[in-house]
Amino acid sequence: MRLFSLARLPFSLLVSSVILASAALPVESTETELLVLTPDNFDSTISEGVWFIEHFSPYCGHCRNFAPTWKQLVEQTEKKADPGIHLAQVNCAVHGDLCRKNGIDGYPQMNLYRNGKYVETFKQSRSIELLTAYLDAHAEPKNPPPPPPPATTAAPEPQVTAKDTLAEEAQHLKQDVNPRGIVLSLDETNFAQTVDKGGVFVKFFAPWCGHCKKLAPTWVQLGGLMQHKLTVAEVNCEDHGALCRQEGVSGYPMLFYYGGKDTKTEYTGGRKLEPLKAFADKVSGPGVQELKFGELEARVAEHSVLYLLLHAPSDRAIFNQVVEASHVLFGSPPLYTSTSSAFYDHYNLKPGTAALVALKDHDPNVPVAIFPIPRPVSTVEERQQLVDWLLRNRLPTALELDSDNFQEVMNAPHKPLVVVVATPQRELKQTAKEVSELARKWRDARENAPVVFTWMDADKWGKWLKSMYGVKAAGLPRAVVANHSSLVYYDTDQFGETIKLTSASLFSAINGAMKGTIPYKHSENAVERLARYLNNKLVSLEGYVSENPWHTAFYAVAVLGVLGLGLKRLLADTEDSREGGYLRKEGRLD
């Protein structure tokens, strides 16, 4: 999808991107050669000795600024006869999977490895003095020199000057979490105060549950990997059943991420370490990052969706309120902030006013939505409007639908209509291009309906597509418009024709679905709908009982009283009839 998005970029930007990417690759030179590792040789190369690896992207402004320092560092190290440490790079624009595997959440990021094992991430200022001192401290030369005599005066440490921005203040105020890299046990005494702080990934389990036993060692591993990043916790529902019921636990294991007070989401992804860590890395990333105007195109190229908060340097209240509201996003999409007047000119906004800008589909020039914030949020309703706007614009306009993002798309809080295009695997790229182009046209038309355009691999998901939407292998690609919140779908447009992959047919179907002018079909059969209806009624009854115990008790006593009176009258009538002789054997006709 990214290739198709890049194809729509201006020619000058495309040429610049190619130049930057080319500059990042190793070339023959008489100068110092920089070692760039790939997935094929990464593990084998770092398996012995101490390695200091820079993970970078050629589109990253910080990486380009840091490049001369890294080159100088390599030259200094190679001049030593026995450096005791090796330096290398990984190009994350080319080898994104390797960088994700290595836990990279920003560029440039430098990790230290010893004998193939991750040790730590370098978190100091990227000055040549601090880097040299860091390498000297962690190097393991084969023949270390004797220790120098004690110095009479200590050399002053290099001073790092931090920018006085609200974004950097927010980063500095971030507390160190999970300092020991363990899984925290929660109960009624510490649950609320822990999750209200935010940044807590909780597993609700039962000791007898087989799936819980299988997940247990993975959960411990995750706790170690998230040291200093994210609190990983668990609740034993066998011992703390009331707490689990309070949190809506309906099965084991159940995983919830808590982003702050009254902010939580259920994790429904894979239970293996890789998807769990990917989710944890996403939600534990920086809550807000400063963005410079010169970095705009690079950041937009990296993210299919991002939010940009523009504000005056003095708008501390608005800044804090937006950051707090953005906790509902759980790190995706990222939130950037800037006070640069260049952004106000670029988006034709009044300088100095606060506004949130939503950028999608790798387009840095035309926002899909702008949320003005003329003054600090002062009411619950205004805060909810801000939260709703963040949730409504968080999804890309077009994407491939699969098991990893199904819940996020289909059960999105703003309940979008979802265009689902089923296509054979051999035609996946072509269909993705067509769907993305249709999505762009819909976006450019500034239609108000919340719609997400998706495509699916019919070879992989054929059975599910047939059971949900009646899509058969013949006649692919095939499009439907799904309203998953109501479990209904539309497969014809307003002219009664089968939906085709054209703007006229597809947009007609979307508008018809919005207005209720075209017939829909159910995604469930009659038995499934009846079962769902009865289950919803039982859930509603259970909710009423728990919320109105005294009313329930009154109605129960009243019903028992009526039943008692009826039973008493029935017994009395039976006794009278016996005395009247109607039930005597000799009185029967037989």
Side-chain angles (χ1 to χ4, degrees), residues 90-383:
V90 174
N91 186 338
C92 295
V94 179
H95 306 297
D97 290 341
L98 176 58
C99 292
R100 284 190 290 274
K101 176 184 175 184
N102 292 345
I104 306 306
D105 53 14
Y107 307 125
Q109 178 172 320
M110 285 158 281
N111 289 353
L112 183 71
Y113 299 86
R114 180 180 290 108
N115 296 329
K117 301 293 185 182
Y118 167 80
V119 178
E120 65 182 22
T121 297
F122 178 81
K123 295 184 178 181
Q124 303 177 47
S125 173
R126 294 187 291 268
S127 67
I128 189 65
E129 295 86 0
L130 289 179
L131 284 164
T132 302
Y134 183 84
L135 295 187
D136 291 343
H138 291 86
E140 296 179 359
K142 297 179 181 178
N143 301 302
T152 55
T153 58
E157 294 185 2
Q159 297 296 315
V160 181
T161 304
K163 294 182 180 179
D164 186 18
T165 66
L166 295 177
E168 291 188 345
E169 286 181 19
Q171 292 301 316
H172 290 310
L173 291 174
K174 190 174 181 180
Q175 296 181 346
D176 183 22
V177 297
N178 192 9
R180 294 186 292 163
I182 62 172
V183 175
L184 179 65
S185 293
L186 300 179
D187 54 30
E188 291 82 357
T189 63
N190 61 357
F191 183 85
Q193 65 183 27
T194 301
V195 301
D196 284 352
K197 295 177 182 177
V200 186
F201 199 12
V202 183
K203 174 187 72 172
F204 294 89
F205 75 100
W208 44 263
C209 162
H211 293 296
C212 302
K213 294 177 182 177
K214 186 177 180 180
L215 179 62
T218 303
W219 200 248
V220 172
Q221 283 183 277
L222 183 66
L225 292 171
M226 289 296 105
Q227 184 177 12
H228 303 300
K229 292 183 177 181
L230 181 74
T231 298
V232 179
E234 64 183 10
V235 176
N236 185 336
C237 293
E238 189 77 5
D239 296 335
H240 309 288
L243 176 59
C244 294
R245 286 191 294 273
Q246 171 189 309
E247 294 304 308
V249 176
S250 57
Y252 306 119
M254 250 183 130
L255 309 179
F256 284 104
Y257 174 76
Y258 294 80
K261 192 170 184 180
D262 301 324
T263 304
K264 77 172 182 178
T265 187
E266 182 183 358
Y267 170 80
T268 56
R271 303 294 175 87
K272 293 184 178 180
L273 183 60
E274 184 175 346
L276 284 168
K277 184 178 183 298
F279 174 80
D281 285 336
K282 180 176 71 173
V283 298
S284 64
V288 61
Q289 305 170 66
E290 184 184 7
L291 181 64
K292 297 179 180 178
F293 186 75
E295 301 171 349
L296 174 63
E297 292 182 349
R299 297 290 82 78
V300 170
E302 292 173 3
H303 303 287
S304 57
V305 183
L306 67 80
Y307 290 131
L308 173 61
L309 170 63
L310 301 177
H311 65 96
S314 59
D315 285 337
R316 183 179 297 273
I318 291 177
F319 175 87
N320 291 335
Q321 289 171 343
V322 171
V323 171
E324 188 273 333
S326 70
H327 290 163
V328 299
L329 301 173
F330 305 109
S332 179
L335 172 64
Y336 289 89
T337 181
S338 179
T339 59
S340 171
S341 60
F343 283 111
Y344 287 95
D345 295 337
H346 188 65
Y347 297 122
N348 196 27
L349 296 173
K350 183 179 179 181
T353 58
L356 266 171
V357 178
L359 300 172
K360 288 190 181 185
D361 309 319
H362 310 290
D363 185 349
N365 300 315
V366 182
V368 295
I370 295 177
F371 187 84
I373 313 175
R375 53 183 172 75
V377 175
S378 58
T379 66
V380 174
E381 290 76 13
E382 290 178 345
R383 182 190 182 279

Side-chain angles (χ1 to χ4, degrees), residues 496-519:
E497 302 289 335
T498 300
I499 299 175
K500 301 179 179 62
L501 281 183
T502 64
S503 56
S505 177
L506 187 55
F507 295 177
S508 170
I510 294 172
N511 287 320
M514 279 181 57
K515 299 173 183 176
T517 58
I518 58 175

